[in-house]
Amino acid sequence: MRVTVVGSGYVGTTLAACLADAGHDVTAIDIDPDVVDALNDGRAAIHEPGLDDLLAEHAGDRLRATTEYDGVPDADVTFLAIGTPSREDGSIDLGPLTAAAGMTGEALADVGGDSAAADDPEDRHLVVVKSTITPPGVREVREALVAGAGDAADRVELATNPEFLREGSAVDDFQHPDKLVFGADSDWATDRLEALYEPLLDAIDGDVPVIRTDPETAVMIKYANNAFLASKISLANDLGNVCKRFGIDAYEVMDAVGLDDRIGARFLRSGVGWGGSCFPKDVDAIRAAAREAGYEPPMLDAAVAVNDGQPERMLELLDSHVDVAGERVAVLGLAFKPGTDDTRNSRAIPIVEGLRARGADVVGYDPVATDAMRERFPDLAYADSAAAALEGASAALVVTDWDEFAALDDAFDAMAEPVVIDGRRIIERRDGLTYEGLTW
C-alpha cells in the first residue's frame, strides 16, 4: 500500500520505518528540513535500537521523506503522528495536530475529482490519528480535517490507531504487538487498516488480538493502558516504601505477589519512579480531561503523588549517610530508562535539582543521554564514563538501570566515601560499600 506519515518524531519515524519494512511504500512528511534530510540519508534523530538499520535499508527505496503534502492524495492511508505537548494544567495542546489535520484535509480537497463517489473505496481516503489524544480531542481533529477538505469532506474519513511503543524497544514492539486497536466509524475504514497491517501479522507466529471499536474508545484504551501501568508501578513503590520502614526487602515481597495470575510479575519493580514521554504526559492528560468532565480521579492523583515523592525519598536516604554540601556526588543514569537517550521527565532531573539545593558538586553520567541532559543542565559536570564520575565522589546515586552499572565493583574503590544509594536495584551489595536500596 501507499502510506504517508505526517510527523517524523519518535512515533512517526518508527511507524514509517516499520511500515516500509513490512513492504509498504511510505512517504514521511515533516516541517523540519534537517529531519527530512536525515531520514533520506537513512538516519534517525533519536536513539532507538534497530531503527537506524531499518532506515538505512529502506531510505531511497520504500521510504522517502519530504516537507510537502503533495503526495497525500495518492496514498491509500495517511497517518497523523504529531506531538501533543502538555499544557501547564496537564491537558494536551492539540494545536500542532489540528494544524496538520487541516493541511492534510487541504491536500485531499480534490480526492477523486469532481466525479468521485463517496461510497466508492477507490475515491475515498483514510486519515488515521496515531498521536495520543483524549476522546474529546477526536472531534477537534476531525473538525480540522473536514474544514481543510472542504467539498471533499464526505470522501475523507478519520480513524484512530493508538500506539503502544516502549522507548528502547519500539521497533520490536511494533513488529510483535501485544494487540492492535482500530478505532473507526465504518467497515471500510476498519478493512483498510486490517489490510495495512496484514503483512505484519502474517510475519508473526501466533495470533495477535485485534480490537475493532469506535475512534473515541480506541484512544481511551491507550490512556487506560498507560494509566494502569503507571498506577501499578506507583502501588509497588508505595508498598516498597512501607517495606523499607519495616526492614523488609520489597523485591522479595513482590516476587511472591507477582506469582498471582490476577496480578502478574511485570511492573512490580519498585524504585525511584517512572518518567519519559508517555506515562507522565498521558496520566496528566486523562486526569485533566476527567476534571474538565466534572470528575476528580483520586487513584490517578495518588499514583502521581507517589511517583513525585520517590526522588526525594532517595535524597533523604543519602542525607542519612553523608552531608553532601561541597562534596562531589555522582548521578549514574540520566535517561528516564535504559535503551534510550530520552531525558523527558527523567527521575534524574529532580535528583540533580535536589543535590544542587543541598550544595553538592554534581557530576552526571549516562551512556547515551548526556547531550539531551546538557540541554537542560548546561553547566552541570558530565563524565565520559561511570568510573570517571565515581572517582573522588563522596556518594553515588543510581537513577537508571543500565546494564553496565552492574559491573562497577572496582570503580567504587576510587570513591572518597563509598556511599551508594540505588534507585533501581542494579548494584550488588559488597564489603566496603555503604549501600542503601530505595525500597529494599
Side-chain angles (χ1 to χ4, degrees):
M1 297 176 72
R2 294 163 300 178
V3 182
T4 48
V5 178
V6 182
S8 297
Y10 177 82
V11 173
T13 302
T14 303
L15 173 66
C18 289
L19 287 178
D21 194 58
H24 299 299
D25 182 10
V26 183
T27 298
I29 301 172
D30 198 271
I31 61 172
D32 189 334
D34 292 335
V35 170
V36 167
D37 290 343
L39 289 176
N40 284 326
D41 287 341
R43 296 179 289 108
I46 57 174
H47 177 83
E48 185 61 42
L51 185 56
D52 276 337
D53 293 338
L54 292 184
L55 292 175
E57 180 179 355
H58 300 297
D61 182 16
R62 289 202 294 262
L63 176 62
R64 61 181 290 270
T66 178
T67 58
E68 304 297 329
Y69 282 72
D70 53 4
V72 170
D74 295 326
D76 299 296
V77 179
T78 293
F79 280 94
L80 301 180
I82 302 295
T84 51
S86 297
R87 297 191 179 101
E88 287 188 7
D89 64 355
S91 63
I92 57 173
D93 180 2
L94 289 174
L97 177 57
T98 55
M103 288 186 284
T104 300
E106 291 172 7
L108 293 169
D110 295 324
V111 166
D114 294 337
S115 61
D119 58 354
D120 184 351
E122 296 303 318
D123 291 325
R124 299 174 70 181
H125 192 93
L126 181 63
V127 177
V128 183
V129 177
K130 200 72 174 175
S131 309
T132 301
I133 60 174
T134 58
V138 174
R139 175 182 53 80
E140 294 185 47
V141 177
R142 184 184 288 112
E143 288 176 351
L145 177 66
V146 167
D151 292 340
D154 60 346
R155 297 190 293 275
V156 179
E157 183 168 341
L158 185 76
T160 59
N161 172 220
E163 53 86 13
F164 298 90
L165 306 179
R166 297 168 297 168
E167 293 191 41
S169 60
V171 171
D172 186 66
D173 288 344
F174 187 94
Q175 295 176 335
H176 302 88
D178 291 325
K179 58 180 174 288
L180 292 173
V181 180
F182 299 151
D185 290 321
S186 71
D187 292 340
W188 167 81
T190 301
D191 290 345
R192 183 153 293 192
L193 280 169
E194 290 180 347
L196 178 80
Y197 279 96
E198 185 176 0
L200 176 73
L201 297 178
D202 287 345
I204 300 173
D205 294 331
D207 295 330
V208 175
V210 177
I211 294 90
R212 303 167 182 85
T213 186
D214 60 86
E216 289 79 8
T217 300
V219 299
M220 188 62 206
I221 289 171
K222 168 64 184 283
Y223 278 107
N225 206 101
N226 278 358
F228 186 91
L229 293 176
S231 298
K232 187 175 182 181
I233 296 171
S234 284
L235 178 58
N237 283 337
D238 206 17
L239 292 170
N241 295 335
V242 174
C243 288
K244 183 72 174 180
R245 293 283 185 175
F246 294 150
I248 293 170
D249 186 338
Y251 275 62
E252 184 177 350
V253 171
M254 288 307 176
D255 283 347
V257 170
L259 297 175
D260 190 320
D261 61 10
R262 297 169 300 174
I263 297 173
R266 299 181 67 187
F267 288 82
L268 289 180
R269 289 178 58 86
S270 56
V272 71
W274 36 265
S277 62
C278 291
F279 284 2
K281 172 178 174 290
D282 291 354
V283 175
D284 283 348
I286 202 62
R287 290 163 68 213
R291 291 191 188 99
E292 189 173 344
Y295 177 73
E296 183 68 36
M299 285 287 289
L300 296 181
D301 290 345
V304 172
V306 170
N307 193 63
D308 288 349
Q310 292 303 98
E312 184 59 31
R313 290 184 175 86
M314 195 171 180
L315 291 167
E316 289 171 357
L317 282 175
L318 175 65
D319 292 339
S320 68
H321 292 283
V322 60
D323 180 358
V324 298
E327 300 293 329
R328 178 182 174 94
V329 178
V331 176
L332 301 183
L334 305 174
F336 86 92
K337 63 179 286 189
T340 180
D341 60 350
D342 194 346
T343 60
R344 286 176 290 181
N345 296 294
S346 168
R347 299 295 83 191
I349 294 172
I351 290 292
V352 168
E353 292 172 342
L355 288 171
R356 284 183 152 185
R358 287 164 168 78
D361 179 15
V362 184
V363 57
Y365 168 73
D366 191 280
V368 299
T370 296
D371 288 344
M373 190 61 86
R374 187 177 278 117
E375 293 182 9
R376 183 178 184 96
F377 297 115
D379 57 342
L380 189 72
Y382 295 94
D384 293 331
S385 68
L390 291 171
E391 188 171 357
S394 294
L397 289 86
V398 183
V399 184
T400 313
D401 48 339
W402 289 99
D403 288 342
E404 67 178 80
F405 297 159
L408 287 175
D409 284 353
D410 294 340
F412 292 120
D413 295 335
M415 295 180 68
E417 294 183 50
V419 176
V420 175
I421 312 299
D422 190 353
R424 299 296 185 187
R425 202 181 178 105
I426 190 71
I427 307 299
E428 291 289 335
R429 296 179 187 271
R430 49 168 279 189
D431 291 339
L433 193 68
T434 301
Y435 175 90
E436 280 277 12
L438 184 53
T439 60
W440 58 94

